[in-house]
Amino acid sequence: MTEYTRKQQLLHADNVCLSYGHKPVLHNINFSIRNIVRPGVQQGQVVSLLGRSGIGKTQLFRLLAGLQQPTSGSITINGNKQVQAGDMGVVFQHYYLFEWKTIQQSLYMAAHQNPAIKGNEKAAVEKWAADFDITEALPCYPHQLSGGQRQRASIIQQLLKGSSFLLFDEPFSGLDVCVLDKVVNMLLQVSVSDELKTLIIVSHDIETSVAISDTVFILGKEPGEPGATIKKEIDLIERDLAWQKDIRRQKAFIDTLEEIKATL
Amino acid sequence: MVLGWWHFSANGLMPAPGRVTVALAELSASSQLWDNILTSLMLTIKAMLYAIIITLLISWLSVIPFFKSLAQVMVKCRYLTLAGLIFVFTLLTQNGATLKLWLLIAGIVPFFVTSFLSVIVNIHQQEYDLCKTLGYNNWRTLHEVIIVGKADKVLEIIQQNFAIAWLMITMVEGVSMSEGGIGTLLIKYNKYNDLTKVLALQIVIFLLGLLFDYLLSVTRLWLFPYIRKTK
């Protein structure tokens, strides 16, 4: 069993509810993400929020990103700070980028928002572009990029912004097997780039999400309850299913997938 | 095919293409045509510039609720006819040149505003969301998404609506004929039933329209290279 400890609370959702008129969408969402500390390893957090299509994942995603306010309850980060738009790095489904900006311009836009790299924006953009192998794509517009380059540019843009939290909306949706592997590796690379880096993946792709996560939250509807809530939390580290390359072949992993499917 | 049909269907009343070509050559050789074209072009370009400034102000401000209703009223003004507004504009303006300019602006602006509002309404939510996630305030978001992001659409709207302005010029120039213009020339030849010259002028108006359409299209591609959708 890998040695680890869960330290301070990084994010906390407290009784979050969301309704549209009289129609409840989310009901009493409660969960916390804590800093995972592994001796000798710079280990960030990778959390998956799984749920069926149409259950309210996108709404929860928007609440976590601060793009929408909950009807009641609160989402706080780093202690007591109420989450606001701009606090989190957000990678949208289909990896949206401004079509009228070159990749370089888009990356500069994000870098200029990061006080930690003030004055060194150019160097930071070049470093990340080199690390993610998109240096040659910097002068291009998004429509000139391949799907993979677009994904990397979109992720780097949010990384340059400097937020510890990165939210991904359906990052595996519509990807072929080769690109999927690259995206998975990229997310793992990001997760170990900083101790406090926290990736929150909102997805309905159970297998891929579980394979790279340390914790899984299952969003679903309890019988008789209005709206979706967190039905179950699975600590994958406790089950020895986190941070392993060939995890998909293990029986415990397959059993966990079955357990999640049964809960959805 | 059209030329063939025109040639064979021409009779005593309808001049044949050959006669129209001769009239076109005669007109081209005279300074009268070029002076009048220049007058019309100057008026159209001036009106388009004013119209685009007014349109952009109204459209950009339409994101604020008060100005949204103003923009919506402007959109409905498409159904007003210019002919019915001549008297009102005559009272409001001081001379023929100003009257023509503002009549043309009043004719163009509702169409421009309609087109640009449709662009703003169809902006994808993710464009605003991306700005917010980058920590931009509302004004910076407006600047990035609507002003900078949709700048290419302004030229596209000008290109699409130039035909409307060009269509109105003949009518507007007929209101005050002292400054001349291609519309004045057309009215004059129509009055004397000089059909060969009328058709020759129609060809000139048509070709000028095509030329401007092409020039605007090239300018748009040059200014906004990202609209080229080739990999």
Side-chain angles (χ1 to χ4, degrees), chain A residues 123-138:
Chain A
V125 166
E126 283 168 2
K127 181 199 167 290
W128 279 106
D131 285 355
F132 279 72
D133 196 22
I134 59 158
T135 304
E136 77 282 7
L138 287 177

Side-chain angles (χ1 to χ4, degrees), chain A residues 187-206:
Chain A
L187 296 185
L188 291 173
Q189 191 184 336
V190 173
S191 75
V192 293
S193 63
D194 188 274
E195 176 61 43
L196 294 177
K197 194 65 80 184
T198 304
L199 277 60
I200 305 172
I201 298 165
V202 178
S203 175
H204 66 267
D205 182 337
I206 304 169

Side-chain angles (χ1 to χ4, degrees), chain A residues 116-151:
Chain A
I117 53 170
K118 197 172 172 60
N120 297 312
E121 291 92 348
K122 190 170 181 281
V125 166
E126 283 168 2
K127 181 199 167 290
W128 279 106
D131 285 355
F132 279 72
D133 196 22
I134 59 158
T135 304
E136 77 282 7
L138 287 177
C140 300
Y141 287 100
H143 75 266
Q144 296 171 308
L145 304 188
S146 69
Q149 286 173 317
R150 204 182 169 103
Q151 286 153 4

